[in-house]
Amino acid sequence: MDESGEPGAPRVVAVFTAYHPDHRLAAAVESALLSCSSVIVVDNTPGGGSTAPELAGPRVTVLAHGRNVGLGAALNLAVRELPSDAEAVLFLDQDSELPPEIVPGLVADLADPAVGIAAPSPWDPRHQRYYCSDARRNDSVSDEEAVITSGMLVRREVLEKVPFDEDMFIDWVDVAFCLAVKRAGWRIVIDWRLRLPHEIGACEVHTRFGRTVHYSHYPAWRLYWIGRNVSILHRGHFAGRPRALASSLVFLAERLTNTLLFEPKRRTHVPALLRGFRDGFSGRVSPRYLPPGAEHPKV
């Protein structure tokens, strides 16, 4: 029996990645401990001053290495620290406070041995909307190409065979991981009956030409990695898949257009996005677009 009290339920370990965490991390960890056997927090905050180490306790392990090694490397570090009896891992962002029904619901979805990843439907509480379009939602479970990192429950066996891509650093790490998992033969599902609150960072609503757009105002370095990693997905995952390639190109075109229309710092942000797209095809990394305190294996 796991900590949630369900007889025969697999032992689920929650993994958080932290970067300059605020008070929401403590609340998120506390909510995860109600449903999971233990929690691992990988703190990517450079230098000292992070509050994450204060959360360490009998069921909470904090890995505070004082460096920003990126999302993929942080997730792989957590996987290496999993206790031997962990059977599944729930990945969460530092602001993801866990509703009590999420873990039991996702565990039930993993009862199908073909399912490698089960995820809830992410919900933006600030703007009161789902991440996914109405056309994709239903009242049960559906197979998907990819899901976002926060909220996905992954079999231990999957994580032992498919690592996260550390070269991608931050954006699209979850998509690349999911595509690799599908190639390895597992199903990926979203359980639409489960809703996980997840805020979209710095998102604002703009209306132009009668169309409403939700645009996330990221720093220039983040746009660089969005552009770079779209290129990596083309090169490494979308070869021979015209529909997937077209979809990601449409995304990049929309991101470029919205940056031109809605980003006040377009003179720095547009070049960052385009430079990232070019570097992704060449396999290079521009050190100027690493966030402060960050380390990348190719730099």
Side-chain angles (χ1 to χ4, degrees):
M1 182 183 298
D2 72 355
E3 295 292 337
S4 65
E6 295 292 333
R11 293 185 68 83
V12 175
V13 174
V15 167
F16 289 89
T17 51
Y19 182 74
H20 294 290
D22 56 24
H23 65 280
R24 293 175 296 178
L25 176 59
V29 168
E30 184 177 351
S31 69
L33 288 173
L34 297 176
S35 303
C36 302
S37 60
S38 60
V39 169
I40 297 174
V41 178
V42 183
D43 187 1
N44 262 0
T45 304
S50 174
T51 60
E54 300 173 7
L55 302 174
R59 294 169 57 202
V60 180
T61 300
V62 178
L63 307 176
H65 44 74
R67 299 171 294 143
N68 182 4
V69 296
L71 178 60
L75 295 175
N76 286 335
L77 179 60
V79 170
R80 290 193 292 270
E81 294 294 323
L82 289 174
S84 59
D85 60 353
E87 299 172 76
V89 180
L90 181 71
F91 293 98
L92 295 164
D93 286 354
Q94 63 187 24
D95 61 350
S96 297
E97 201 163 336
L98 195 62
E101 69 274 11
I102 294 291
V103 171
L106 295 180
V107 165
D109 294 329
L110 286 190
D112 181 346
V115 174
I117 301 175
S121 177
W123 166 259
D124 179 5
R126 179 182 173 191
H127 298 98
Q128 293 292 294
R129 70 185 185 101
Y130 288 94
Y131 277 41
C132 305
S133 67
D134 290 339
R136 287 180 54 197
R137 295 202 303 273
N138 58 56
D139 295 326
S140 58
V141 177
S142 65
D143 282 85
E144 301 293 330
E145 285 289 302
V147 295
I148 68 171
T149 307
S150 189
M152 68 179 183
L153 183 68
V154 186
R155 290 184 186 277
R156 175 73 172 269
E157 180 185 359
V158 170
L159 293 166
E160 290 174 346
K161 295 181 178 179
V162 182
F164 291 93
D165 189 332
E166 299 187 9
D167 175 58
M168 297 180 77
F169 199 76
I170 180 168
D171 287 283
W172 300 92
V173 171
D174 43 13
V175 175
F177 174 71
C178 288
L179 293 174
V181 169
K182 285 188 71 70
R183 284 202 306 271
W186 280 286
R187 293 173 57 204
I188 299 171
V189 301
I190 283 184
D191 192 325
W192 301 97
R193 299 163 297 187
L194 304 171
R195 191 168 76 175
L196 178 67
H198 181 79
E199 290 190 18
I200 303 174
C203 182
E204 295 182 3
V205 180
H206 301 272
T207 302
R208 186 69 61 92
F209 309 122
R211 181 168 172 257
T212 299
V213 175
H214 291 79
Y215 179 77
S216 296
H217 291 270
Y218 293 131
W221 68 263
R222 183 76 182 269
L223 288 184
Y224 170 84
W225 287 97
I226 289 173
R228 181 181 184 273
N229 292 344
V230 165
S231 296
I232 290 175
L233 285 176
H234 291 171
R235 195 179 70 227
H237 297 276
F238 291 161
R241 300 178 57 194
R243 289 185 62 184
L245 175 61
S247 177
S248 59
L249 287 175
V250 167
F251 167 84
L252 184 64
E254 289 181 346
R255 185 79 220 190
L256 178 59
T257 301
N258 290 336
T259 301
L260 286 167
L261 289 174
F262 307 122
E263 177 54 62
K265 300 177 181 179
R266 61 181 64 87
R267 288 188 177 182
T268 56
H269 285 48
V270 170
L273 182 64
L274 295 177
R275 177 61 183 269
F277 190 65
R278 187 184 73 180
D279 282 358
F281 277 111
S282 65
R284 289 194 292 263
V285 175
S286 297
R288 63 178 293 191
Y289 290 116
L290 288 170
E295 297 181 9
H296 186 270
K298 291 192 175 183
V299 175

